[in-house]
Amino acid sequence: SRVGLELSRMPKAKKSTEGGSNYYEDHSKVLEQLDPNEVAGWSVEHVCTQFLDKLGLSPLKQIFIDHKVTGHVLMTLNKGDLVEMQIHAVGDRVYIDRCLIELRRRLRKVERERELWAGTTPTGGIAYFPTVTDCCLFKLCPCFMQFTDWKISSQGIRRRLLPPSCNCCCKSMHNDFSDFRFLKDVDWYKAPMCFCCKNATWVELNFDSKSEFSLGIDDVTKDIADRLSCTKIMHPDMTEALTLKIRNAWAEARLVAD
């Protein structure tokens, strides 16, 4: 047709002469190779070699060098900054901005999922066991003990109740997750145990019990769900410094929720 003939005669869009990059190319594979935690510590040279070169923007290296764009500066750049840097090609600016948005998104994800602490209970000395019998059982025949794996991340607490290795009672494994968005209070304790001759440390976290039924990974039984409202982790690693990290993660989770 006449319309089709005219469209075929139209000149094709050219690549940017300044950046030389293909803006319709999938750049996600390149960005996946970059660790967003390391980007902030890059020097100007690293920005040129690890960011511009890998994204096909080598002709822009001198501009980034002249403006002393380090990794920390790179993560804060916006479209207005790119204009002030005199990156004239709109395609280059859009491409760089899109890549930086993706890097910042990945950085936020890593921050949300970063691990604060991981461990197993019961453990430690006699002060961390309810009775002397439990401590002796742990030392002499741990195969009859039921352990709990804990993982505290920036998002919340993941708990896995493990059945004994010698599972005579056919106990099952349970998983649950308590989200920091529903955390109400965090308390740290240090108290003498075992006839006051040993000290034990633990943290207690009080969650909104109404929210936990929707956060279980599997079908947690009623008695386990009830205990989720107050989570107690008794471990030698439970220090004031770790409690402060948990409080900070709690504050960040509340900001995200708001």
Side-chain angles (χ1 to χ4, degrees), residues 3-4 18 43 48 51 61 71 78 92 99 104 122-123 128 134 148 164 168 174 178 193 198 214-216 229 232:
V3 175
E18 184 175 343
S43 63
C48 294
F51 185 76
K61 291 194 322 187
N78 54 42
D92 285 334
C99 293
R104 287 191 285 262
T123 189
Y128 292 91
D134 291 328
T148 304
C168 301
H174 293 285
S178 300
M193 309 290 283
K198 296 289 184 179
S214 61
L215 296 173
S229 59
K232 180 179 180 180

Short mmCIF file of all heavy atoms in Angstrom, two decimals, residues 3-4 18 43 48 51 61 71 78 92 99 104 122-123 128 134 148 164 168 174 178 193 198 214-216 229 232:
data_model
loop_
_atom_site.label_atom_id
_atom_site.label_comp_id
_atom_site.label_asym_id
_atom_site.label_seq_id
_atom_site.Cartn_x
_atom_site.Cartn_y
_atom_site.Cartn_z
N VAL A 3 0.70 3.80 2.09
CA VAL A 3 1.13 4.15 3.44
C VAL A 3 2.32 3.29 3.84
O VAL A 3 3.31 3.75 4.41
CB VAL A 3 -0.02 3.96 4.45
CG1 VAL A 3 0.47 4.21 5.87
CG2 VAL A 3 -1.16 4.90 4.12
N GLY A 4 2.23 1.98 3.54
CA GLY A 4 3.33 1.08 3.89
C GLY A 4 4.60 1.43 3.15
O GLY A 4 5.70 1.33 3.69
N GLU A 18 26.74 10.13 20.87
CA GLU A 18 27.56 10.48 22.03
C GLU A 18 27.83 9.25 22.88
O GLU A 18 28.94 8.99 23.29
CB GLU A 18 26.83 11.54 22.86
CG GLU A 18 27.65 12.04 24.04
CD GLU A 18 26.95 13.16 24.76
OE1 GLU A 18 26.04 13.76 24.19
OE2 GLU A 18 27.34 13.42 25.91
N SER A 43 35.54 4.22 43.13
CA SER A 43 36.23 5.45 42.76
C SER A 43 35.73 5.91 41.39
O SER A 43 34.93 5.23 40.75
CB SER A 43 37.74 5.19 42.71
OG SER A 43 38.03 4.24 41.68
N CYS A 48 33.91 4.39 35.70
CA CYS A 48 34.14 4.35 34.25
C CYS A 48 34.25 2.92 33.74
O CYS A 48 33.66 2.58 32.70
CB CYS A 48 35.41 5.13 33.91
SG CYS A 48 35.27 6.91 34.23
N PHE A 51 30.86 0.59 35.22
CA PHE A 51 29.51 1.05 34.88
C PHE A 51 29.42 1.50 33.43
O PHE A 51 28.67 0.93 32.63
CB PHE A 51 29.10 2.19 35.83
CG PHE A 51 27.68 2.66 35.65
CD1 PHE A 51 26.62 1.91 36.12
CD2 PHE A 51 27.40 3.86 35.00
CE1 PHE A 51 25.31 2.33 35.95
CE2 PHE A 51 26.10 4.29 34.83
CZ PHE A 51 25.06 3.52 35.31
N LYS A 61 32.99 8.75 29.40
CA LYS A 61 33.90 8.60 30.55
C LYS A 61 34.56 9.93 30.94
O LYS A 61 34.69 10.23 32.12
CB LYS A 61 34.96 7.54 30.25
CG LYS A 61 34.38 6.14 30.19
CD LYS A 61 35.39 5.01 30.22
CE LYS A 61 36.64 5.16 29.52
NZ LYS A 61 37.46 3.92 29.49
N GLY A 71 31.28 6.38 43.04
CA GLY A 71 30.14 5.48 43.17
C GLY A 71 29.04 6.07 44.04
O GLY A 71 27.84 5.91 43.74
N ASN A 78 20.37 12.21 39.24
CA ASN A 78 19.04 12.22 38.64
C ASN A 78 19.14 12.85 37.25
O ASN A 78 20.22 13.25 36.80
CB ASN A 78 18.04 12.96 39.52
CG ASN A 78 18.49 14.38 39.86
OD1 ASN A 78 19.01 15.10 39.01
ND2 ASN A 78 18.33 14.78 41.12
N ASP A 92 20.92 8.94 26.00
CA ASP A 92 21.92 8.59 27.01
C ASP A 92 21.40 8.89 28.41
O ASP A 92 21.58 8.09 29.34
CB ASP A 92 23.21 9.38 26.76
CG ASP A 92 24.00 8.83 25.59
OD1 ASP A 92 23.85 7.63 25.31
OD2 ASP A 92 24.76 9.59 24.96
N CYS A 99 19.07 2.77 34.34
CA CYS A 99 20.01 1.85 35.00
C CYS A 99 20.19 2.19 36.48
O CYS A 99 20.25 1.30 37.32
CB CYS A 99 21.36 1.90 34.30
SG CYS A 99 21.35 1.23 32.61
N ARG A 104 19.32 1.25 42.33
CA ARG A 104 18.79 1.68 43.64
C ARG A 104 17.71 0.74 44.13
O ARG A 104 17.60 0.48 45.33
CB ARG A 104 18.27 3.12 43.52
CG ARG A 104 19.37 4.16 43.43
CD ARG A 104 18.83 5.57 43.59
NE ARG A 104 18.15 6.01 42.39
CZ ARG A 104 18.70 6.78 41.45
NH1 ARG A 104 19.96 7.15 41.55
NH2 ARG A 104 18.01 7.15 40.39
N PRO A 122 18.32 -24.76 71.69
CA PRO A 122 19.15 -24.25 72.79
C PRO A 122 20.63 -24.45 72.51
O PRO A 122 21.03 -25.30 71.73
CB PRO A 122 18.70 -25.13 73.97
CG PRO A 122 18.28 -26.42 73.34
CD PRO A 122 17.68 -26.05 72.02
N THR A 123 21.44 -23.63 73.14
CA THR A 123 22.89 -23.71 73.00
C THR A 123 23.51 -22.99 74.18
O THR A 123 22.81 -22.39 75.00
CB THR A 123 23.35 -23.09 71.67
OG1 THR A 123 24.73 -23.37 71.49
CG2 THR A 123 23.14 -21.59 71.67
N TYR A 128 21.47 -21.47 79.89
CA TYR A 128 20.54 -21.34 78.77
C TYR A 128 19.60 -22.54 78.64
O TYR A 128 18.94 -22.69 77.63
CB TYR A 128 21.31 -21.13 77.47
CG TYR A 128 22.01 -19.79 77.44
CD1 TYR A 128 23.32 -19.65 77.91
CD2 TYR A 128 21.35 -18.66 76.99
CE1 TYR A 128 23.96 -18.42 77.91
CE2 TYR A 128 21.97 -17.43 76.99
CZ TYR A 128 23.27 -17.31 77.45
OH TYR A 128 23.88 -16.09 77.45
N ASP A 134 17.95 -31.01 81.08
CA ASP A 134 17.99 -30.60 79.66
C ASP A 134 19.42 -30.34 79.21
O ASP A 134 19.81 -30.68 78.08
CB ASP A 134 17.14 -29.36 79.45
CG ASP A 134 15.66 -29.64 79.60
OD1 ASP A 134 15.24 -30.75 79.27
OD2 ASP A 134 14.93 -28.75 80.06
N THR A 148 15.69 -25.25 67.53
CA THR A 148 15.03 -24.18 66.77
C THR A 148 16.08 -23.37 66.03
O THR A 148 17.01 -22.85 66.64
CB THR A 148 14.22 -23.25 67.69
OG1 THR A 148 13.29 -24.02 68.45
CG2 THR A 148 13.48 -22.20 66.87
N PRO A 164 13.56 -33.82 66.68
CA PRO A 164 14.79 -34.49 67.11
C PRO A 164 15.31 -35.42 66.01
O PRO A 164 14.55 -35.94 65.19
CB PRO A 164 14.36 -35.28 68.35
CG PRO A 164 13.09 -34.63 68.80
CD PRO A 164 12.43 -34.09 67.58
N CYS A 168 11.37 -40.26 67.76
CA CYS A 168 10.51 -41.37 68.22
C CYS A 168 9.04 -40.97 68.28
O CYS A 168 8.15 -41.81 68.09
CB CYS A 168 10.97 -41.85 69.59
SG CYS A 168 12.69 -42.41 69.62
N HIS A 174 8.21 -27.28 61.60
CA HIS A 174 7.34 -26.14 61.36
C HIS A 174 8.19 -24.91 61.03
O HIS A 174 9.28 -24.73 61.57
CB HIS A 174 6.47 -25.84 62.57
CG HIS A 174 5.44 -26.89 62.86
ND1 HIS A 174 4.30 -27.05 62.11
CD2 HIS A 174 5.40 -27.86 63.81
CE1 HIS A 174 3.59 -28.05 62.59
NE2 HIS A 174 4.24 -28.57 63.63
N SER A 178 7.71 -13.85 61.40
CA SER A 178 7.09 -12.70 62.08
C SER A 178 7.66 -11.42 61.48
O SER A 178 8.87 -11.19 61.51
CB SER A 178 7.36 -12.76 63.58
OG SER A 178 6.82 -13.94 64.14
N MET A 193 21.16 -17.01 86.30
CA MET A 193 20.42 -18.26 86.24
C MET A 193 21.24 -19.34 86.95
O MET A 193 22.37 -19.11 87.38
CB MET A 193 20.17 -18.66 84.79
CG MET A 193 19.55 -17.57 83.93
SD MET A 193 17.84 -17.19 84.31
CE MET A 193 17.03 -18.57 83.54
N LYS A 198 25.43 -18.24 87.08
CA LYS A 198 25.67 -17.97 85.67
C LYS A 198 24.66 -16.96 85.16
O LYS A 198 23.50 -16.95 85.58
CB LYS A 198 25.56 -19.25 84.85
CG LYS A 198 26.59 -20.33 85.18
CD LYS A 198 27.97 -19.93 84.69
CE LYS A 198 28.96 -21.07 84.95
NZ LYS A 198 30.32 -20.73 84.47
N SER A 214 -1.65 -14.69 59.02
CA SER A 214 -1.51 -14.54 57.58
C SER A 214 -0.06 -14.59 57.13
O SER A 214 0.23 -14.47 55.95
CB SER A 214 -2.10 -13.20 57.13
OG SER A 214 -1.42 -12.13 57.74
N LEU A 215 0.89 -14.75 58.09
CA LEU A 215 2.29 -14.70 57.75
C LEU A 215 2.97 -16.06 57.82
O LEU A 215 4.15 -16.16 57.57
CB LEU A 215 3.04 -13.73 58.69
CG LEU A 215 2.59 -12.28 58.58
CD1 LEU A 215 3.24 -11.46 59.66
CD2 LEU A 215 2.92 -11.72 57.22
N GLY A 216 2.24 -17.10 58.21
CA GLY A 216 2.84 -18.41 58.33
C GLY A 216 3.26 -18.96 56.98
O GLY A 216 2.57 -18.77 55.98
N SER A 229 2.93 -14.44 69.48
CA SER A 229 2.67 -13.10 69.97
C SER A 229 3.82 -12.61 70.85
O SER A 229 4.06 -11.42 70.95
CB SER A 229 1.36 -13.05 70.74
OG SER A 229 1.41 -13.97 71.83
N LYS A 232 10.65 -15.29 72.20
CA LYS A 232 11.79 -15.20 73.10
C LYS A 232 12.96 -15.97 72.52
O LYS A 232 12.84 -17.15 72.20
CB LYS A 232 11.43 -15.77 74.48
CG LYS A 232 12.56 -15.72 75.50
CD LYS A 232 12.10 -16.27 76.84
CE LYS A 232 13.22 -16.25 77.87
NZ LYS A 232 12.76 -16.78 79.18
#
